Every structure is written in structure tokens, then in C-alpha cells.
Amino acid sequence: MRTRLLVVVLFLVGLLAAGLGVPLAVYSAQAAQSKLFTNRLTDTVYFASLAVRPLTEDDPTGLDAQLRRFDDTFGVTVLVIDAARTVRASSRVPAPELDADGQDRLALALAARPSKPYPLLMPWDDRPMVLAEPVLVDTEVRGAVVTISPTGALHAEQLVVWIGIATASVLALALAVLVALPIVRWTLRPVRRLDEGTGRVAAAVLAGAAPEPVSDNSGPPELRRLTESFDRMAETVTQAYTAQRAFVADASHQLRNPLTALRLRLSNLEGQVVPEALDDHAAALEEAERLSTLLDGLLALARAERTVPVTVQAIDAPIAERVEVWRPLAEHLEITLEITGTRGLRAMVPAGAIETVLDAVLDNAVKFTPPGGRITVCTTAAGADDELVEIAIRDSGPGMDPEHLDRATSRFWRAPGQDNVEGSGLGLAIAARTVEVGGGLLRLDLPPGGGLRITAVLSRAGWPPPDDAP
């Protein structure tokens, strides 16, 4: 943003320099050219008055010497031409020929019309300035005087002026950079701190810690007030998030003891319930068990939402340990549970994250895989440069509708038709939050051949390898 603002400032200064410099350069050139035109017009009129008698008496002898002296002094060619367009006197021998523009101006002079002003001659236009004035005797045109003035000196003067203006414009741009840089830094410092502080504030909010203030009392008053408002908002959000998370954890803990007592009392009633109330007693036990599972899920979710340090972990051991824990249940349900893929991978994850994710995902996979099915845990290096680690758990169950994949990690969400399936609806939400806290993501997809694949994507530790690695 700072670079863009600096470019805008330079663009505006450049427009101002161009808006002032170009008209000044044009005005200076026009003024110099007008001065030259006026001087040469005066000289041409003077020689037209001198040429009256020589043209009338047909004796230009004395006029040639005057024309040559003028040419030697000022470098301007002077021609005296009669009404038949014959050169009668010239400051140079042989007399130069007139170009098309000179012929047009001579025709105007012989028609008793004065020389018209020249348009602006650019420095790269090396044409001479040609002026023609009629020689009149009692309003009768007897001929014309033509002056041919070189424009090299005029162009050299224009170039000096234009180079000076361009130099001044460049200096103005350089000065604008020197002045604008500290101003831009001062103006955008609060914006930069807001941009840098947003990520830190988000991490602090998730961790329940006090966010680092963004405001440092620098910058324009409006932006200072914005940073102060952001700090107040971040503090409020942190307090609200901490209170909400504490409420969930405290409420879950506080409810566990009375819930345990309730389950114990319901269990103690077994064998003492009248036959008419047996169904109600069984339903009450199931609801108590479901409520206990829900509280465990809420506690697990509260733990998953805490930001904990990310460490380097080898993933083989925790995967093998959790698979062995779930293997007896899988074998009891006639489900094959296996581990495949690349071994020896290391990932950047919070402590206990791999175990939490596997428990949540394997629990989901076991529920929906039919007898005779297969659950595969596959570990691979992924990414364009193998900078990621993927732990994919694939089952051979019914899968789910594609439009439900994005909602499957929402809290308490259940797919249509699965309301009676055991569980709290928090398992995948816990897994997704655990992976996200470590900087990864949980991805769900429907692989070819059926079933559901849930992949935890983590950052690979020790990647890229050192430069001296083989």
C-alpha cells in the first residue's frame, strides 16, 4: 500500500510539473520565436522601403552592398524581387531558391498582403523563417523583399530553456520523493500495524491471551482513532471468547457430577422398575448416556479450541497406537483396519493433535462402515514440493451427498436420516478445529469406488531440506 500511495503522490506531482512545465516551455518558445519574427519583420519592412527607388529606377547597384553587409552581420539572406518574380538584388550570389512555403509568402507579398506569423517551430524543425513584404509605390506593388533567417540559434535557445524546465521538473519529483516518503510512512504506519496486528490479535483471541495493542499513537488523527477502536474491539472479542469458552468448559465440568449421580441412580433402579415403566427406564438410561457423550464432546471441543504450541512430531507412532486401540472394535464389527503409505514422516502439530484427530475420524468411520468393509489410514507427503503431510482415513461406508461435505465439520451437524446414529455430532468439528489450530486443514472428499475420505493436511517438519542435503 505504501508503494501504491507513493506512486500516486509521484503521479500527482508529475502531473503538476507537466501542467506547469509544458505551458511554460511552450510560452518561452513562442516568446522567443515572436521576438525573432518581429525583428525580422522590421528588417524586411526597412529593406522594402529601401528597395522602392532601385526598383522604380531599375538600378539596384547600391542596394547589393547594403544587403551583403546585413547578411555578413546577422547571417540573414535578403532578396529583392520585382513584380515578375525576378531577383533584382541579393545578399548572396547565387541567390538561393525559395521553397514552397517561401513561394507562398512571396505570392502574398506580391498581392500586397503582409507576412503572416509563423506557427511554433519545434527544435527538431530546421526550416528557416521566411518573411516577404511588398514594395509599394503609390499603393502599386513593384516587387517584394524576402528575408530568409536561419533558426538554429532560436532552436538552441529553446533547447536550453526546455532542458532547464525538464531539470527543474525532475528535481521537483526527487524533492517530492524525499518529502513524500516520511509523510507516507507516517500516514500508513497505523494501517501497516493494523495489517500486521490482525493475525496476532486472531491468535491471541483463540489462545485467550491479551492481544498486543496495535495503536502506538502515531499517524493521522483519524487512523489513530481507528487503531484505538480496533484495540478496544479486540479486547472485547477476547473477553467474550474467553468467557464463552470458560462457560462451556465450566458447565460441562459442573454437569458431569450430577449426571454421573443420575446415571448411577437409574442403574440402581434396574430390577425394581414395574413392567409398565421398563421402556421409560431404558430410554432414560440412553438419554443419560447420550448426555454424558455430549458433555465429553463439549469438553474435547473446548480443549481443541485452545491454542497450544506447535511442535515437531513423528507421526508413525501415534497413528499405530490409535489404530491398535480401535482394532479390537473394528474386528468385532468384522471391519479390516490397516495402515499404508509413506513411513518416517514428521509434521508440525500441537501435542496430542494426531491422537485427537484419529479418535474422532476413526470413530466416525467405524460407525458407518458395514461388516466386511475396510478402513485405511494412509500417510503421504504432498504439495508441489512435498512440503505437506497428509493423513487420510478412508472408509468403505455409504459416504455422503456432495453438498453435505462442507457442512460435515459443523458442530452438532448430522446428515439427513442419521439422527438415530449414536454420537454427539461433535467428532468431525473437534478434528477440524484441532488441525486448524496447528495451521493445517481437514478435507473431506468422496474417492472413486465409494466411501468417505477424511484427510488431515499438516505442515511437514524439516522441509525444505538443507542445501547440503543429498
Side-chain angles (χ1 to χ4, degrees):
M1 180 179 289
R2 183 174 66 185
T3 302
R4 271 185 261 173
L5 184 56
L6 183 59
V7 169
V8 170
V9 171
L10 292 179
F11 178 72
L12 293 177
V13 173
L15 282 181
L16 179 61
L20 295 176
V22 172
L24 179 60
V26 173
Y27 173 77
S28 174
Q30 287 177 337
Q33 182 174 311
S34 177
K35 180 180 179 181
L36 177 62
F37 179 84
T38 301
N39 291 338
R40 292 297 168 262
L41 180 62
T42 302
D43 296 334
T44 306
V45 171
Y46 169 73
F47 284 114
S49 63
L50 291 181
V52 171
R53 184 174 178 181
L55 288 179
T56 303
E57 298 177 356
D58 196 19
D59 183 15
T61 304
L63 186 59
D64 286 334
Q66 286 184 290
L67 299 183
R68 283 194 294 272
R69 284 196 300 270
F70 181 81
D71 193 349
D72 293 339
T73 304
F74 297 102
V76 177
T77 303
V78 183
L79 303 176
V80 177
I81 302 174
D82 60 18
R85 297 199 176 196
T86 301
V87 177
R88 305 302 302 275
S90 174
S91 63
R92 297 187 184 185
V93 179
E97 295 183 1
L98 297 178
D99 57 12
D101 180 64
Q103 293 290 346
D104 292 340
R105 290 179 175 271
L106 175 61
L108 290 176
L110 294 177
R113 297 177 61 182
S115 295
K116 59 182 179 179
Y118 263 83
L120 181 62
L121 298 175
M122 295 299 176
W124 51 86
D125 188 352
D126 58 355
R127 292 179 301 166
M129 180 180 290
V130 179
L131 276 71
E133 286 294 318
V135 177
L136 300 175
V137 177
D138 296 332
T139 69
E140 180 184 354
V141 178
R142 295 295 181 91
V145 173
V146 178
T147 58
I148 305 173
S149 306
T151 56
L154 174 66
H155 295 333
E157 181 182 351
Q158 287 181 5
L159 283 176
V160 170
V161 173
W162 286 14
I163 290 173
I165 293 174
T167 303
S169 300
V170 172
L171 291 177
L173 285 175
L175 181 62
V177 171
L178 295 177
V179 174
L181 274 177
I183 295 177
V184 168
R185 284 199 201 96
W186 175 76
T187 302
L188 294 182
R189 179 177 174 83
V191 178
R192 190 184 74 250
R193 287 184 60 84
L194 276 173
D195 181 56
E196 295 173 351
T198 301
R200 297 196 303 267
V201 168
V205 168
L206 292 177
E212 180 183 347
V214 171
S215 175
D216 62 352
N217 295 319
S218 65
E222 297 81 2
L223 293 179
R224 285 205 303 268
R225 289 195 294 270
L226 177 62
T227 56
E228 292 168 359
S229 299
F230 182 86
D231 286 338
R232 289 194 297 269
M233 179 202 69
E235 183 179 359
T236 302
V237 171
T238 302
Q239 293 174 353
Y241 191 81
T242 302
Q244 179 261 342
R245 188 165 55 194
F247 171 77
V248 172
D250 293 343
S252 300
H253 277 293
Q254 293 297 326
L255 289 174
R256 288 179 67 86
N257 290 334
L259 180 60
T260 302
L262 176 61
R263 292 172 61 194
L264 181 60
R265 290 177 182 273
L266 289 173
S267 297
N268 290 337
L269 289 176
E270 291 183 2
Q272 302 180 30
V273 180
V274 297
E276 295 81 1
L278 286 176
D279 291 341
D280 292 336
H281 178 257
L285 282 173
E286 291 178 1
E287 289 300 319
E289 185 66 29
R290 191 176 71 83
L291 184 56
S292 177
T293 302
L294 180 60
L295 289 178
D296 291 339
L298 289 174
L299 285 173
L301 184 60
R303 288 192 296 269
E305 288 182 335
R306 290 182 300 175
T307 302
V308 295
V310 175
T311 59
V312 178
Q313 294 185 33
I315 66 173
D316 291 344
I319 291 177
E321 188 266 334
R322 298 320 298 167
V323 167
E324 289 305 315
V325 169
W326 284 91
R327 192 181 300 280
L329 177 60
E331 292 177 349
H332 175 72
L333 298 174
E334 301 179 6
I335 298 172
T336 301
L337 182 57
E338 61 181 0
I339 302 175
T340 64
T342 307
R343 296 301 185 94
L345 296 176
R346 294 156 60 85
M348 301 290 295
V349 291
I354 294 178
E355 293 88 340
T356 300
V357 172
L358 283 173
D359 283 342
V361 179
L362 287 174
D363 178 55
N364 188 79
V366 168
K367 288 178 186 176
F368 295 102
T369 300
R374 180 181 299 272
I375 299 175
T376 303
V377 180
C378 180
T379 57
T380 57
D385 298 316
D386 290 342
E387 74 278 10
L388 301 174
V389 171
E390 290 186 353
I391 305 174
I393 299 94
R394 176 180 178 178
D395 61 47
S396 57
M400 63 174 61
D401 293 337
E403 60 268 19
H404 295 157
L405 291 176
D406 293 337
R407 301 180 55 193
T409 55
S410 301
R411 301 178 185 182
F412 304 108
W413 183 85
R414 290 176 178 270
Q418 297 179 355
D419 294 337
N420 295 326
V421 177
E422 181 183 356
S424 62
L426 291 173
L428 293 184
I430 293 171
R433 186 68 194 125
T434 302
V435 174
E436 289 170 1
V437 166
L441 62 91
L442 194 73
R443 185 177 67 233
L444 282 69
D445 67 306
L446 302 174
L452 176 66
R453 180 168 55 200
I454 301 176
T455 306
V457 183
L458 308 171
S459 297
R460 185 176 179 183
W463 197 262
D467 293 337
D468 56 354

